[in-house]
Amino acid sequence: MTQQLNIIIVPHTHWDREWYQTFQQFRLRLVHAIDKLLDILDRDPKFSNFMLDGQTIVLDDYLEVRPEQEERLKKHTRSGRIQVGPWYLQPDEFLVSGESLVRNLQIGLQRAADFAKPMRVGYVPDCFGHIAQLPQILRGFGIDSAVFWRGVGPEAHKSEFYWAAPGGTQVLVIHLADALGYSNARDLPLNLEEFVTRVELLSAPLLSKATTNTLLFMNGSDHLEPEDGLPETIDAANKLLAHIDPELEKVLTRFGRLEQNGQVSDFDQILVRIGTLPQYIEAVRQHLERSPGTPLQTLHGEMRSSEYAHLLPAVLSTRMWIKQKNTATEHLLERWVEPLTAWAWKTGAPYPKGLVRQAWKFLLQNHPHDSICGCSIDQVHRENSVRFAQSQQISEGVVAQAMQSLVSVIDTRAPTNVHKPLAGQEPFPIVIFNPAPGPRTEAVQAMTQLPGSLKNAVVVDERGSRMPFHVVSRWRQELGSMPVPREMLATAVALQGMKAPGEFINLAQSTLVSMLGLSESDYVITRINVEEGAQAGVASVELMITRREQVTINQQELQASESRVLALMQREDINTLEFIIIDQARQTVDFIAAGLPAYGLKTYWIYPGGLQGEGQSQPSTDSSTGQEQRAVSQPPSIENEFYTVAANQEDGTLTVTDKQTGAVFTGLNRFVDGGDVGDLYTYCPPAHDTLISKPVEPPKIELVSTGPIRSIMRISGDWSLPTACSDTRTERSAHMTTCSIVSEISLTPGVHRVDIHTGVENDVKDHRLRVTFPVPYTVEHAEAEGTFEVRSRPIVAPRPADVSAWAEEPVNTFPQKRFVDVSNGTVGLGVLNRGLPEYEIVQDAPGQMAVAVTLLRCVEWLSRADLSTRRGHAGPMEFTPEAQCLGHQEFDYALVPHRADWEAEEALVLREAQAFNTPVRALATEQHEGQLPSRATLVEVEPRSLVVSAIKRSETGQGMIVRVHNPLSQAVEANLRPGFACTKAFVTNLHEEQQEQLFWSGVEDGSLSVGLRSGEIATILFQ
Ligand SMILES: [Zn+2]
């Protein structure tokens, strides 16, 4: 059977917004490229299509400096000649959160709609591998196909296949199977004969993988401009290709046949045309419909093969600070900004829509694969740092406003039925916000300005339960000082004839308070302290001022002090009176906030002088009691009701005992430092590596605090590390440099985690520093949180004996979100992190394995061609010294030993991982009435093991969105109970478009039930 081979050429450009040049430098080229595109489209009607890389930000970047071109550009987008969207920008998939990917598509599709009907193809041409949930995310936006290059391995037999996400939804994938991926038909020759030859050469490798008689030629590459004159060449070539001459046929019969169900098709003509990705996908679908006997494969899971194309997996640990800042900013937006602004809006505050959107945009602009991956020149990443800062500045401001607004509508009056304060002393409410699942217990630190010594102070919640409480520090702030000559002051006092008690105080009060720029009516002098002798001829008069409503003044004492000051004025031996104004004491206090509701808030009250009818109160302690001094002589260990943590005095590693299971984990928190002669993309140990896993001498171990709030142990070690790699890059240098590594390990009563904060003085180069956690058993799989899922991966990546032909060595380092867990079924160890996305499960001693989490990977070349672990360059060979990450670096991670596996105890590990990434926040306030109860939740979700990834105002402003996904291996019935007024609920897609109304009539009706398959994401709109 003979037939026609169709070729669709998609002219496009791949626009890395910033990479080996900065955004502004690349934009100069972008302006030139789009100017040229518009000229071509105006002039050549046969140049029918051009794809702007599936991302709308290039439109914004262009129009920002070419606003006068908007209508001309829109003429071509509206006519369908320029394809725009669906993304806002081309992200890395593994290093950003699921919600970031959702916002990326929301913003992209919305912006694309200003220009045209958006291109609904999941085009991610250059991403460094693909997450398993991409099909479900795309389908959530009505996108049923994906086109990409990297990550696909030999499991895909053809370049077309279905790809199913956890939860079951699937998309049709077009794999750009040519070695050049999205650039396979770049720079097509405009010379007719060369063009024809190129078409045949390019067809051959594609045909071997093709399912249909239509091939995809991607005519473009990184930052390439459109090829003027291409349609003319295509027209001429089609005449030649309409009848393949015998010479050419030889080439085509060698490669050019399509085998289907044992049937072989030979092509006797080729038709080339310019088209679009949607047209290509439509051609594939039509072919599949016409030939139902050729079912496509359905593949599952993530795509991380490095066989055919570079995967570049070590970007997970390049410039770790970017990953840390990104994770922090994502949590700030997703867990604080969106829920709190939405909640405040629900209680009557205006919604800061533009600010929230702008904070997201600054964050997303750091998500292109070359930005978040850390594989650009240094200047690019300095600019990333500024964008993180801008996103955080907006977010912190908006969160502070929302917290203030919410606190103002909470009924913060102390529960009078349980406790009564001492006469004249009012309790001070503090509201704690919890953005994670609950009920939750955490240590809280708050700044207060409370009267009295706080020796008898107590903290209670709404049921009167006492919370352990501790004053960390007390201090007074000097607000200002003024030296006044004694004689001058004495004359002034004499002239004014001050005799009555309090007259001088009143004068001083009005003079000094207004001198400080404070309102006279608000502040009063509450105490005067006179000191002499520090300096000859000078007396110091310390005046404490306090807000008027907060105090009862001891007038007798104050007037006695006044007399002492007046007496000073008669003293010939004194030249100067130094007036020093101080404010009331401030305190940093710690207390345990127990029973915090999920995604909610709870009020606690501090009674500064204690409670009526009680003498000394027991839980309150002051740091000056000397308790720590006694503790120092104890053995180096700390504990709470869940765990005991002891330090090994030889090497500083930790032994953690899980009191519930009896499991003992030893050798934890061991640092292992090895060489790295790779580049920003790929890890490469030197041929002769040296691993260092011990400090030079036994570390210093201190008990910093033994409670009652936090028990903290500090381990400080000096590490002698090779200064850099050798000149030949085959080993680490013999010259050593000392670097300090300090870990603070803390336990809190009621908190089911061992929290670890580590500071590293990184004064050496060309190395990789990991922290390891051995487990006393072996496993074949480990589970790590991924995007909208928890992914189980084998410890060792599948690897044939010979990988010499692979584009890159397969690696056993894998991506993680907030935790990785290794369990033997009876007990397990969860290792949580804040923004440390790379882990590996390594063989340790016999019978045990260890979780290794990368802290730093320090290299200084954007790309090198001499890596034993990768073939060829991955980018230009630019020098990037800042990727050595020299200087002080800090890391946060935590341990959760537990029974059974990660799903046990209502997914304790996953819940703690969320809590660990969102420390609670406190806001002190006054007592007042309000519409919200003192303990309130925005939404309650059962079972607690489900993950609520978004609580936000809907984009249209007509309701509240709650997004929940099921990471468990079983289907569950989710029960949602919103804490705000609503009467209707809808299932929506990820674009927040209503799909189906649920039978539910509002909060009064009880909780809303939604069935969730394993891996399913559900978005609910409450109205
Ligand atoms: Zn790229």
Side-chain angles (χ1 to χ4, degrees):
M1 193 171 86
T2 59
Q3 54 172 289
Q4 176 176 292
L5 179 64
N6 299 303
I7 288 169
I8 294 182
I9 294 184
V10 175
H12 76 103
T13 187
H14 174 55
W15 209 266
D16 294 308
R17 192 171 185 249
E18 51 188 12
W19 179 23
Y20 58 86
Q21 289 188 337
T22 62
F23 157 55
Q24 298 297 352
Q25 290 167 328
F26 273 131
R27 178 155 73 176
L28 291 174
R29 292 165 66 175
L30 177 73
V31 169
H32 196 265
I34 296 186
D35 278 349
K36 181 176 170 186
L37 172 65
L38 296 181
D39 286 346
I40 293 173
L41 296 183
D42 280 351
R43 187 166 19 86
D44 184 354
K46 288 190 169 171
F47 207 112
S48 54
N49 300 101
F50 191 86
M51 178 171 67
L52 271 179
D53 203 29
Q55 50 177 343
T56 59
I57 197 165
V58 289
L59 301 168
D60 297 335
D61 291 345
Y62 175 73
L63 290 176
E64 193 176 48
V65 293
R66 282 288 215 201
E68 70 281 5
Q69 298 297 328
E70 184 164 347
E71 276 318 302
R72 201 167 154 228
L73 180 59
K74 281 186 169 169
K75 184 181 83 186
H76 294 303
T77 55
R78 286 187 188 127
S79 72
R81 291 176 76 191
I82 298 179
Q83 280 67 58
V84 296
W87 298 98
Y88 174 46
L89 38 77
Q90 285 287 343
D92 180 78
E93 293 171 34
F94 288 95
L95 286 169
V96 310
S97 70
E99 289 298 329
S100 286
L101 294 172
V102 170
R103 295 310 176 287
N104 192 332
L105 280 165
Q106 279 180 348
I107 293 176
L109 284 169
Q110 215 172 77
R111 183 62 176 142
D114 296 338
F115 290 85
K117 211 168 149 227
M119 179 178 83
R120 286 195 188 261
V121 174
Y123 182 58
V124 276
D126 197 21
C127 284
F128 306 168
H130 305 282
I131 54 168
Q133 284 285 24
L134 188 64
Q136 188 169 189
I137 294 171
L138 293 174
R139 288 296 293 265
F141 287 91
I143 297 171
D144 58 8
S145 61
V147 177
F148 51 74
W149 170 41
R150 303 180 199 270
V152 180
E155 67 281 0
H157 303 142
K158 293 287 179 186
S159 50
E160 293 80 26
F161 55 86
Y162 292 115
W163 181 26
T169 45
Q170 58 181 42
V171 294
L172 171 66
V173 171
I174 309 298
H175 174 215
L176 302 169
D178 186 279
L180 285 175
Y182 60 85
S183 315
N184 70 327
R186 61 177 287 170
D187 298 319
L188 286 173
L190 298 180
N191 170 291
L192 184 57
E193 279 177 17
E194 282 178 40
F195 182 87
V196 168
T197 310
R198 180 74 62 89
V199 166
E200 289 157 1
L201 282 174
L202 291 177
S203 301
L206 295 182
L207 268 170
S208 67
K209 286 231 155 187
T211 314
T212 77
N213 60 348
T214 305
L215 302 183
L216 179 59
F217 278 21
M218 298 295 289
N219 171 234
S221 189
D222 304 352
H223 312 108
L224 286 194
E225 298 188 351
E227 281 196 69
D228 200 0
L230 189 60
E232 207 181 321
T233 307
I234 292 173
D235 276 353
N238 275 334
K239 293 193 182 90
L240 282 182
L241 292 164
H243 298 286
I244 298 172
D245 72 43
E247 257 320 287
L248 289 172
E249 205 169 359
K250 251 185 258 162
V251 180
L252 280 172
T253 34
R254 191 147 38 101
F255 303 105
R257 44 174 51 192
L258 188 65
E259 287 191 44
Q260 277 171 2
N261 308 333
Q263 272 195 321
V264 176
S265 309
D266 286 316
F267 301 110
D268 61 359
Q269 51 179 303
I270 297 179
L271 180 69
V272 182
R273 66 182 173 102
I274 287 181
T276 66
L277 282 185
Q279 287 167 1
Y280 179 78
I281 289 159
E282 185 53 29
V284 171
R285 287 199 195 279
Q286 282 185 6
H287 182 99
L288 294 173
E289 275 169 30
R290 283 197 307 270
S291 32
T294 51
L296 294 187
Q297 257 186 303
T298 301
L299 299 179
H300 298 263
E302 62 190 6
M303 303 276 169
R304 288 189 65 80
S305 171
S306 58
E307 182 165 349
Y308 306 132
H310 290 156
L311 179 70
L312 314 171
V315 297
L316 296 175
S317 52
T318 304
R319 303 187 200 253
M320 195 59 89
W321 65 266
I322 294 181
K323 319 333 182 196
Q324 292 173 295
K325 281 195 180 183
N326 182 61
T327 301
T329 315
E330 285 180 335
H331 280 89
L332 180 56
L333 270 160
E334 295 166 18
R335 309 306 330 142
W336 289 105
V337 171
E338 287 187 338
L340 289 196
T341 54
W343 202 356
W345 167 68
K346 268 288 180 189
T347 60
Y351 186 74
K353 183 178 175 182
L355 288 165
V356 175
R357 157 105 7 162
Q358 192 57 47
W360 266 115
K361 280 189 164 182
F362 279 126
L363 173 62
L364 293 174
Q365 284 166 17
N366 283 344
H367 287 180
H369 45 274
D370 298 302
S371 313
I372 192 76
C373 291
C375 54
S376 295
I377 54 170
D378 290 341
Q379 179 60 29
V380 161
H381 299 299
R382 288 180 212 140
E383 291 169 18
N384 291 162
S385 177
V386 174
R387 285 190 205 115
F388 284 129
Q390 298 210 343
S391 181
Q392 289 178 1
Q393 288 159 16
I394 297 171
S395 298
E396 289 294 348
V398 166
V399 169
Q401 280 174 10
M403 279 171 61
Q404 281 292 355
S405 168
L406 282 166
V407 162
S408 74
V409 297
I410 298 170
D411 186 342
T412 54
R413 291 171 299 169
T416 50
N417 51 338
V418 274
H419 294 299
K420 300 237 179 324
L422 293 179
Q425 283 205 348
E426 286 304 306
F428 288 79
I430 295 187
V431 179
I432 308 298
F433 292 82
N434 170 32
R440 175 180 179 189
T441 298
E442 286 292 341
V444 172
Q445 189 154 85
M447 297 266 285
T448 55
Q449 210 169 358
L450 300 169
S453 70
L454 302 184
K455 247 191 273 176
N456 297 326
V458 298
V459 177
V460 300
D461 70 3
E462 80 284 0
R463 283 179 301 197
S465 303
R466 294 277 195 94
M467 300 293 137
F469 169 74
H470 171 68
V471 179
V472 180
S473 61
R474 284 166 66 81
W475 74 96
R476 295 179 196 283
Q477 197 177 345
E478 188 178 309
L479 301 172
S481 65
M482 183 169 60
V484 184
R486 179 190 60 83
E487 274 183 37
M488 195 180 101
L489 195 63
T491 313
V493 168
L495 278 175
Q496 299 211 2
M498 284 186 182
K499 291 271 159 43
E503 273 191 82
F504 176 74
I505 289 174
N506 286 340
L507 175 72
Q509 198 164 285
S510 58
T511 315
L512 296 172
V513 169
S514 58
M515 183 187 93
L516 292 170
L518 301 171
S519 162
E520 260 182 71
S521 54
D522 288 350
Y523 288 86
V524 285
I525 290 176
T526 50
R527 223 165 65 194
I528 301 176
N529 185 38
V530 180
E531 274 178 33
E532 286 183 67
Q535 205 185 330
V538 179
S540 113
V541 181
E542 195 180 71
L543 305 160
M544 187 201 288
I545 63 167
T546 308
R547 283 189 78 89
R548 208 175 272 277
E549 73 269 20
Q550 290 183 356
V551 280
T552 36
I553 301 168
N554 184 337
Q555 290 294 347
Q556 224 177 344
E557 193 187 303
L558 198 60
Q559 281 162 20
S561 305
E562 182 185 41
S563 310
R564 280 205 297 280
V565 179
L566 291 171
L568 284 174
M569 289 180 201
Q570 314 305 322
R571 296 250 307 265
E572 293 293 330
D573 60 323
I574 291 184
N575 308 320
T576 306
L577 276 80
E578 171 99 38
F579 287 91
I580 300 162
I581 309 124
I582 60 169
D583 71 353
Q584 200 188 3
R586 290 161 198 255
Q587 307 87 18
T588 303
V589 299
D590 272 355
F591 65 91
I592 299 289
L596 290 163
Y599 321 107
L601 56 86
K602 179 168 168 172
T603 311
Y604 300 81
W605 290 268
I606 300 184
Y607 289 75
L611 300 167
Q612 254 185 44
E614 295 193 7
Q616 298 294 311
S617 89
Q618 63 296 11
S620 159
T621 53
D622 200 285
S623 54
S624 60
T625 56
Q627 193 178 356
E628 281 94 49
Q629 277 177 339
R630 284 198 306 278
V632 170
S633 59
Q634 292 169 3
S637 75
I638 52 176
E639 66 180 309
N640 67 2
E641 65 267 52
F642 302 114
Y643 306 118
T644 305
V645 183
N648 179 317
Q649 281 168 297
E650 281 304 303
D651 60 12
T653 61
L654 306 175
T655 296
V656 176
T657 306
D658 182 342
K659 292 184 179 179
Q660 290 179 323
T661 64
V664 179
F665 298 87
T666 56
L668 305 174
N669 204 41
R670 182 190 305 279
F671 301 97
V672 179
D673 191 74
D676 191 346
V677 293
D679 57 22
L680 298 189
Y681 297 98
T682 305
Y683 163 71
C684 184
H688 310 286
D689 199 3
T690 312
L691 291 181
I692 293 160
S693 56
K694 252 178 143 165
V696 270
E697 53 188 36
K700 186 172 157 198
I701 301 170
E702 304 157 272
L703 287 177
V704 180
S705 160
T706 53
I709 312 300
R710 294 181 182 85
S711 302
I712 304 174
M713 179 160 59
R714 184 185 296 141
I715 301 173
S716 317
D718 284 335
W719 292 65
S720 180
L721 304 177
T723 305
C725 67
S726 67
D727 291 344
T728 58
R729 302 184 73 83
T730 54
E731 60 193 352
R732 303 183 78 179
S733 135
H735 187 263
M736 308 298 267
T737 300
T738 302
C739 300
S740 83
I741 301 181
V742 179
S743 285
E744 284 198 350
I745 297 97
S746 59
L747 287 174
T748 303
V751 177
H752 220 131
R753 295 189 310 262
V754 181
D755 290 353
I756 306 176
H757 177 83
T758 292
V760 176
E761 297 304 325
N762 181 40
D763 297 330
V764 299
K765 299 178 178 178
D766 310 322
H767 69 127
R768 181 175 74 173
L769 176 66
R770 305 204 288 187
V771 58
T772 63
F773 308 92
V775 293
Y777 44 83
T778 60
V779 293
E780 285 178 0
H781 287 79
E783 283 68 41
E785 192 193 13
T787 306
F788 293 126
E789 65 161 350
V790 172
R791 177 136 293 267
S792 179
R793 297 189 185 93
I795 302 307
V796 179
R799 177 194 177 107
D802 180 12
V803 292
S804 57
W806 283 38
E808 204 172 10
E809 282 262 306
V811 295
N812 299 326
T813 47
F814 293 106
Q816 63 172 338
K817 288 272 183 271
R818 293 172 290 205
F819 79 83
V820 56
D821 189 83
V822 279
S823 158
N824 65 359
T826 309
V827 294
L829 177 67
V831 178
L832 324 181
N833 75 88
R834 286 188 197 150
L836 305 173
E838 185 177 87
Y839 78 89
E840 181 174 356
I841 310 300
V842 293
Q843 293 291 338
D844 208 59
Q848 67 177 45
M849 290 184 149
V851 178
V853 175
T854 310
L855 299 181
L856 284 173
R857 201 176 71 79
C858 309
V859 291
E860 63 187 13
W861 292 96
L862 195 152
S863 175
R864 294 184 63 94
D866 61 354
L867 275 54
S868 62
T869 48
R870 190 187 71 218
R871 302 205 314 170
H873 268 297
M877 192 168 172
E878 297 280 343
F879 185 54
T880 56
E882 288 172 24
Q884 294 282 11
C885 300
L886 293 174
H888 184 73
Q889 311 287 337
E890 298 194 11
F891 310 94
D892 286 287
Y893 43 91
L895 304 174
V896 182
H898 56 88
R899 67 175 85 250
D901 60 16
W902 75 269
E903 291 190 38
E905 302 178 62
E906 294 184 274
L908 172 73
V909 176
L910 179 53
R911 284 187 289 123
E912 286 299 339
Q914 295 173 69
F916 183 63
N917 273 273
T918 47
V920 299
R921 294 186 179 213
L923 188 60
T925 179
E926 319 83 47
Q927 296 193 65
H928 52 65
E929 294 179 37
Q931 55 171 296
L932 282 180
S934 70
R935 182 185 187 281
T937 179
L938 188 48
V939 64
E940 268 179 70
V941 177
E942 296 280 343
R944 297 189 294 162
S945 36
L946 295 176
V947 178
V948 176
S949 62
I951 306 174
K952 63 189 281 284
R953 195 182 84 139
S954 73
E955 291 298 304
T956 59
Q958 286 167 346
M960 294 280 277
I961 291 286
V962 175
R963 184 154 34 252
V964 55
H965 67 266
N966 175 11
L968 308 172
S969 47
Q970 302 294 321
V972 293
E973 187 84 356
N975 292 303
L976 288 78
R977 187 188 290 269
F980 47 86
C982 53
T983 55
K984 281 184 258 176
F986 302 85
V987 172
T988 77
N989 61 15
L990 293 175
H991 209 20
E992 302 181 10
E993 293 158 337
Q994 295 178 14
Q995 311 273 290
E996 171 197 351
Q997 182 164 4
L998 296 162
F999 288 106
W1000 187 71
S1001 60
V1003 180
E1004 304 302 312
D1005 199 26
S1007 62
L1008 171 72
S1009 289
V1010 182
L1012 284 174
R1013 294 185 301 273
S1014 169
E1016 187 176 1
I1017 306 166
T1019 306
I1020 310 296
L1021 168 68
F1022 289 101
Q1023 275 185 345

